[in-house]
Amino acid sequence: QVAAASGHTVVLVDQSDEILKKSAKGIEESLKRVTKKKFADNPEAGAEFIEKTLKNLTTSTDAVAVVHSTDLVIEAIVENQEIKNELFKRLDKFAPEHTIFASNTSSLQITQLANSTTRQDRFGGLHFFNPVPMMKLVEVIKTPMTSQKTFESLVDFSKAVGKSPVTCKDTPGFIVNRLLVPYMMEAVRLFERGDASKEDIDVAMKLGAGYPMGPFELLDYVGLDTSKYIIDGWHSLEPNNPLFAPSPLLNKLVKEKKLGKKTGEGFYKYK
């Protein structure tokens, strides 16, 4: 959405036409919300903006077919190393030489993803934040193999879509999640020990630290399965780091399929 809205030609690829229809509808609804604010005094210009943006956007279920004419591939599929590697390996065979590959992963090593291709110098991380139309930040990740030209292109693209890029080495969790995930896990441990209720911990961090959401609200928003996946991955990399220790309560909720907002229940219940 933000790439199309900033004048880029975008092909959105997903597994089925059904998913793509839902995505296109979601983008259109999101654009309507954006234009309400952005073009409050000029609805005609707003309608034109939506039409223009949607013209820049096409959809496909065949990544290989569309990668032939692509300058930048941004992957945002399931957080699974093997599945991502498989996709990049396949696209690498068909993408033009100049095409840059980037991953939106928040927890996997960019270097390992890059190693599944023959374009390690044209590979980097572009980590956007949810919800992307609202959040200004993009973490641009440079691996030891990423060329300066590729790195600069990724920074320039981030600015071109109206975001504020920050840069980081290819380290677990980059900047934001490296600080945020251990913070959320510490909140769970505080609750597990019975030191404070989850409601009071959330209120304390909102009113005392000025955070828009408390850690338990945020965990439910992110998805408890996603949070568990991240912490398990880091724990396997650094088993002796107490910040990366798994949580029995988080594991229990995930096992019970209480994954947060998306399933109607996590740490809190949602109607």
Side-chain angles (χ1 to χ4, degrees), residues 123-142:
F123 203 115
L126 270 184
H127 183 219
F128 290 81
F129 287 79
N130 233 343
V132 180
M134 311 295 292
M135 301 291 271
K136 294 292 284 181
L137 187 69
V138 177
E139 290 174 326
V140 182
I141 313 306
K142 192 179 189 212

Side-chain angles (χ1 to χ4, degrees), residues 33-202:
R33 286 195 297 274
V34 170
T35 51
K36 251 184 192 167
K37 282 184 187 174
K38 203 174 172 184
F39 299 96
D41 304 331
N42 193 345
E44 277 174 23
E48 200 180 309
F49 169 73
I50 293 173
E51 195 188 335
K52 216 172 170 184
T53 301
L54 292 175
K55 264 190 186 156
N56 288 335
L57 185 70
T58 52
T59 60
S60 173
T61 54
D62 189 348
V64 165
V66 298
V67 82
H68 290 284
S69 55
T70 303
D71 298 317
L72 172 65
V73 172
I74 303 175
E75 166 276 318
I77 65 171
V78 63
E79 282 287 85
N80 178 301
Q81 184 88 45
E82 282 167 35
I83 298 172
K84 286 184 193 284
N85 282 352
E86 198 56 47
L87 176 70
F88 281 125
K89 198 185 276 185
R90 195 154 46 98
L91 295 184
D92 188 43
K93 292 186 183 116
F94 298 96
E97 201 168 312
H98 75 276
T99 306
I100 293 172
F101 283 8
S103 177
N104 181 56
T105 181
S106 58
S107 64
L108 299 173
Q109 275 200 312
I110 302 294
T111 305
Q112 287 193 348
L113 297 172
N115 284 339
S116 66
T117 72
T118 58
R119 61 184 75 221
Q120 287 99 329
D121 58 326
R122 285 149 289 156
F123 203 115
L126 270 184
H127 183 219
F128 290 81
F129 287 79
N130 233 343
V132 180
M134 311 295 292
M135 301 291 271
K136 294 292 284 181
L137 187 69
V138 177
E139 290 174 326
V140 182
I141 313 306
K142 192 179 189 212
T143 78
M145 299 97 74
T146 309
S147 73
Q148 189 59 23
K149 188 184 172 192
T150 297
F151 174 68
E152 283 167 13
S153 297
L154 291 173
V155 170
D156 289 345
F157 173 75
S158 304
K159 289 177 181 170
V161 297
K163 302 299 174 196
S164 301
V166 293
T167 70
C168 184
K169 285 182 180 172
D170 189 16
T171 181
F174 315 135
I175 299 172
V176 175
N177 280 342
R178 179 59 183 80
L179 297 173
L180 196 59
V181 174
Y183 148 74
M184 293 192 295
M185 295 302 290
E186 275 300 295
V188 177
R189 291 181 196 113
L190 192 65
F191 174 53
E192 277 176 323
R193 291 195 301 268
D195 295 341
S197 71
K198 57 183 184 288
E199 291 82 3
D200 282 355
I201 295 169
D202 277 354

